[in-house]
Amino acid sequence: MSIKKFGLVLAVAVVAFTGCAAPVSNTTPQPAETSSAPSEIHEHDEDHGVPVVTWDAAMEAEVKGLAVDLMGKFARTDVTARAWFDALQPRMSADYQESAQYIDPGRIPVTKILSDPVLVREKGNPMSVTAEFSTDNGPWVLSLHRSGQEEPWLITRIAPKDS
């Protein structure tokens, strides 16, 4: 190959190579703007399948009532294991059902609920909540989770607060 042809091939290769490179920008990228306003409504994100879920005063009252009912059923130590499980089972998550099937209600140390629940939840997360109760066996927690606005609240955990 002659030097003239080699130079031409080299020039074409350089042009082709530099044409593939991204243009250089002299500007510094700016951080995305975020809103600092609190929001308790999660809009549906079609790309990620995130459901619309809200938390308001009516939902808080509903969850408190449900937590009282479920904790009362949990603390029934005078029933058979089958009756105890059947009373709670419709509101158990699959994982909690797996472990709850081995609970002997006669061995549950809680027999009296001494307070209304205090709800504790992560700010901005209307899908999970923990209800804290005072009992005759110290503080206990009942954790609930739902997978969508119209989905039922399901028990994920009932245990002493410090466990």
Side-chain angles (χ1 to χ4, degrees):
M1 180 184 294
S2 72
I3 293 182
K4 197 183 228 186
K5 285 183 181 178
F6 179 74
L8 180 61
V9 170
L10 182 61
V12 169
V14 169
V15 169
F17 179 74
T18 58
C20 293
V24 177
S25 172
N26 290 334
T27 61
T28 305
Q30 298 299 316
E33 291 184 31
T34 59
S35 171
S36 61
S39 174
E40 292 294 323
I41 298 175
H42 293 250
E43 295 299 327
H44 184 74
D45 183 345
E46 291 186 32
D47 294 336
H48 296 97
V50 178
V52 175
V53 182
T54 61
W55 183 271
D56 57 19
M59 183 57 59
E60 183 161 336
E62 177 186 328
V63 170
K64 280 186 176 184
L66 176 62
V68 167
D69 178 57
L70 295 174
M71 196 64 182
K73 290 175 180 175
F74 176 82
R76 290 185 58 210
T77 59
D78 61 339
V79 298
T80 67
R82 174 65 17 208
W84 179 87
F85 185 85
D86 288 348
L88 290 168
Q89 189 275 331
R91 288 299 187 146
M92 290 181 185
S93 68
D95 286 342
Y96 189 72
Q97 279 186 41
E98 188 66 33
S99 59
Q101 67 183 334
Y102 301 106
I103 295 175
D104 175 1
R107 298 188 63 164
I108 294 174
V110 175
T111 58
K112 292 181 186 171
I113 310 304
L114 305 176
S115 71
D116 284 335
V118 174
L119 299 184
V120 177
R121 61 187 192 87
E122 185 179 320
K123 185 175 176 75
N125 180 359
M127 295 172 69
S128 295
V129 65
T130 299
E132 296 181 0
F133 290 89
S134 292
T135 74
D136 59 345
N137 187 255
W140 276 63
V141 294
L142 174 127
S143 298
L144 298 167
H145 180 78
R146 63 181 172 166
S147 57
Q149 184 70 26
E150 300 303 320
E151 298 299 317
W153 288 97
L154 300 176
I155 302 166
T156 58
R157 179 176 177 252
I158 301 177
K161 184 177 179 180
D162 295 331
S163 69

